[in-house]
Amino acid sequence: MIDPQISEWISQILRWTHVITAIAWIGSSFYFIHLDLSLKKREGLPEGVGGEAWQVHGGGFYNMRKYLVAPPELPKELTWFKWESYSTWISGFFLIVWVYYLQADLYTIDPAVRALAPWQAPAIGIGGILVSWLVYEGLCRSPLGKNGLVLGFVLFAYILLAAFAFTQVFNGRAAFLHTGAMIATWMSASVFFVIIPNQKKVVSTLLAGGSPDPRLGQEAKLRSTHNNYLTLPVIFLMLSNHYPLAWSSRYAVGIIGLILIAGAVIRHFFNSQHAGKGSPWWTWGIAAASIALAIWLSIIGKPGSETVADASAAAEPAAAFEEATLAIQSRCSMCHAAAPVWEGIPVAPKGVRLDTPEEIARHAEPIRIQAVLTHAMPPNNITEMTPDERKAVATWLASRETATR
C-alpha cells in the first residue's frame, strides 16, 4: 500500500503533466489549423507552394509557407508535431488508472447503477475505449469516409450510444470521463496510426523520386478535421468531473450531445474567420442555445428533485440543523475531517471539513449541490446515506433560507 500522502502527490503530478501536455497539443493543433486556413496565394511564390502567411510574434516577423506536397529538396532537419499528442494520451491513461481504476469504489463503481467488482471497472473501461477505436477506424475507412458530413452525423450518434452504455455500468462522473477518454483516444490514435504514418509515406516516396498517393493526404486531413471539431467537447467532458450538475442528471447523454454541438459550432466560427470566409455569428446563437438547454436538462434531471420537494421549510431551524448535522457527520466526516479516517484519503477533499457544526454551516451551499441537488456525495453513496438523511439536510437548508428572508 502506498502512503495516502504520496498517493495524493502522484495524482496531482499526473494531472499536472496531463494538463501541460494537453495545452501543448491543443495549442499546436489550433495554431496549425489557423495557419492552414489563413494562407494566401500570392504571385512570385516558389513552385509547389500553395500559399503563405506573414506573422509577427515576440518582436520578430515570420514568413510561413505551405508546400502542397513537399519542397523539391527536403531540409536536413524536420520538426514532427506528434509527441504532444502521444504524451497527452499516455499521461491521461495513467491518470485514469490511478484515480478511476485503483480507486474504483470511490470514483467509478456505483452499486445503484451496477454492482461491479473492482477488476471489472478497468476491464469495461479500457475494453470499451479500444472497441470504440476499432469502430471509429472502420467507419472512417468505409464508404462513409468519402462524405464528411454524413460520417460526422454517424459519429455523433455513436458517441451518444457509447455514452449511454457507459452510464449503464458506471456512475455519472466516470461515464462522462470515459466518453471523453474515448474521443481523446480516437484523436491521439489518429495521429499515431494515420496522420504521422501517412506523412512519412509521403516523405519516403518523395525521397525515392516518386509521386505520393493523394489518398494519404485525404485520410490525414479527415482525421485532422475530426480532431479540430472534437477538441472543445473533450475538454468539457474532462473538466466535468468537478461539476456534478452535468453528469448526475438523468439526461446526461443529452447534455453530452448538446456540448458536442456547442463545441463544434464554436470551432466552425473560428475556422471560418481564419479562412477569411466571414464571421458566422449564428454559430454563437446555436452554442448559447445548446448550453442553455444543457443547463435546463441538468436542473430538471437532477436526482435530488424529490428530496427538495419533500423538504419542509416550516421546520424549526435549530432542530433541523441538529438533525442535518447528525446525518452529515455520520456519512461525510470520515473523509471531510481534520484527520480523515477513510483509507486512502490523507486530507479532507478540497479542504472541506464537515466534522463540526460550525464547518457544516459554513459549507451549506456546497452541501446543497453535492448531497441534496445531485447526490454526488458521498461518492457512489459509499457510506449509504439514506433518503431520510438527505431529506433532513434539505429541510435544514430550506429552513435556513426561510430564516434569512
Side-chain angles (χ1 to χ4, degrees):
M1 294 295 293
I2 299 178
D3 183 276
Q5 298 168 97
I6 302 300
S7 176
E8 184 83 356
W9 268 104
I10 291 174
S11 178
Q12 180 158 357
I13 290 171
L14 282 173
R15 194 178 301 274
W16 187 32
T17 303
H18 186 53
V19 170
I20 290 171
T21 54
I23 290 172
W25 183 16
I26 295 168
S28 62
S29 175
F30 280 9
Y31 170 74
F32 277 102
I33 289 291
H34 172 275
L35 175 62
D36 192 59
L37 293 173
S38 63
L39 292 169
K40 299 292 187 296
K41 182 72 175 179
R42 297 187 177 95
E43 294 183 3
L45 292 176
E47 184 179 353
V49 174
E52 71 171 358
W54 280 89
Q55 301 179 355
V56 59
H57 180 74
F61 291 87
Y62 299 82
N63 181 210
M64 315 297 290
R65 294 179 174 180
K66 178 182 178 179
Y67 285 82
L68 296 178
V69 180
E73 184 177 343
L74 289 176
K76 293 182 179 180
E77 295 182 0
L78 192 61
T79 301
W80 295 83
F81 286 86
K82 56 183 179 179
W83 296 111
E84 300 91 339
S85 168
Y86 304 161
S87 300
T88 300
W89 191 89
I90 292 170
S91 60
F93 176 76
F94 280 112
L95 185 60
I96 198 173
V97 168
W98 191 260
V99 176
Y100 284 86
Y101 297 156
L102 296 183
Q103 303 177 75
D105 287 341
L106 274 177
Y107 297 109
T108 307
I109 301 172
D110 185 349
V113 176
R114 191 79 57 186
L116 301 174
W119 66 268
Q120 290 176 312
I124 294 171
I126 296 174
I129 291 172
L130 291 178
V131 168
S132 78
W133 161 251
L134 296 177
V135 172
Y136 173 74
E137 179 72 3
L139 288 172
C140 289
R141 294 187 182 278
S142 74
L144 288 174
K146 297 178 181 178
N147 189 320
L149 187 60
V150 174
L151 178 60
F153 281 114
V154 172
L155 291 176
F156 176 80
Y158 180 79
I159 291 172
L160 296 188
L161 179 64
F164 175 76
F166 283 131
T167 63
Q168 300 307 297
V169 289
F170 298 146
N171 64 29
R173 176 191 280 114
F176 261 53
L177 186 108
H178 278 80
T179 303
M182 176 189 76
I183 301 172
T185 298
W186 297 357
M187 296 167 66
S188 190
S190 289
V191 175
F192 185 80
F193 290 111
V194 179
I195 297 174
I196 294 299
N198 283 16
Q199 188 64 61
K200 287 185 175 180
K201 291 176 183 176
V202 169
V203 172
S204 298
T205 302
L206 289 170
L207 290 174
S211 299
D213 184 351
R215 179 182 56 84
L216 297 174
Q218 293 167 1
E219 289 179 351
K221 182 66 174 178
L222 176 66
R223 306 306 179 92
S224 293
T225 301
H226 290 169
N227 286 5
N228 178 33
Y229 282 97
L230 290 172
T231 296
L232 297 184
V234 167
I235 295 173
F236 181 94
L237 292 170
M238 294 309 189
L239 293 177
S240 67
N241 69 92
H242 300 288
Y243 303 99
L245 278 173
W247 53 258
S248 66
S249 172
R250 61 177 176 271
Y251 303 117
V253 175
I255 292 172
I256 290 175
L258 290 165
I259 294 303
L260 285 168
I261 293 171
V265 296
I266 289 171
R267 283 308 303 157
H268 178 71
F269 173 84
F270 287 106
N271 290 343
S272 180
Q273 273 201 330
H274 299 333
K277 297 180 180 179
S279 302
W281 294 104
W282 56 266
T283 56
W284 290 100
I286 292 178
S290 298
I291 293 173
L293 184 54
I295 293 171
W296 181 69
L297 289 178
S298 76
I299 293 172
I300 67 170
K302 60 182 181 291
S305 301
E306 301 82 2
T307 305
V308 175
D310 293 342
S312 172
E316 199 279 318
F321 181 54
E322 184 177 349
E323 189 174 355
T325 297
L326 179 62
I328 293 168
Q329 289 181 329
S330 299
R331 306 300 181 182
C332 309
S333 64
M334 57 281 295
C335 295
H336 292 281
V341 296
W342 194 275
E343 185 179 356
I345 305 293
V347 294
K350 295 187 177 181
V352 175
R353 289 176 48 190
L354 302 174
D355 49 355
T356 67
E358 293 76 19
E359 290 289 347
I360 290 172
R362 189 163 74 90
H363 293 96
E365 289 311 309
I367 290 171
R368 183 195 307 277
I369 293 173
Q370 300 287 342
V372 176
L373 295 180
T374 66
H375 295 190
M377 290 292 166
N380 304 327
N381 201 24
I382 198 167
T383 59
E384 300 181 352
M385 192 174 195
T386 67
D388 285 341
E389 288 172 326
R390 293 189 192 275
K391 181 180 176 181
V393 177
T395 300
W396 159 57
L397 292 168
S399 67
R400 184 172 178 269
E401 281 188 349
T402 302
T404 56
R405 287 174 186 169

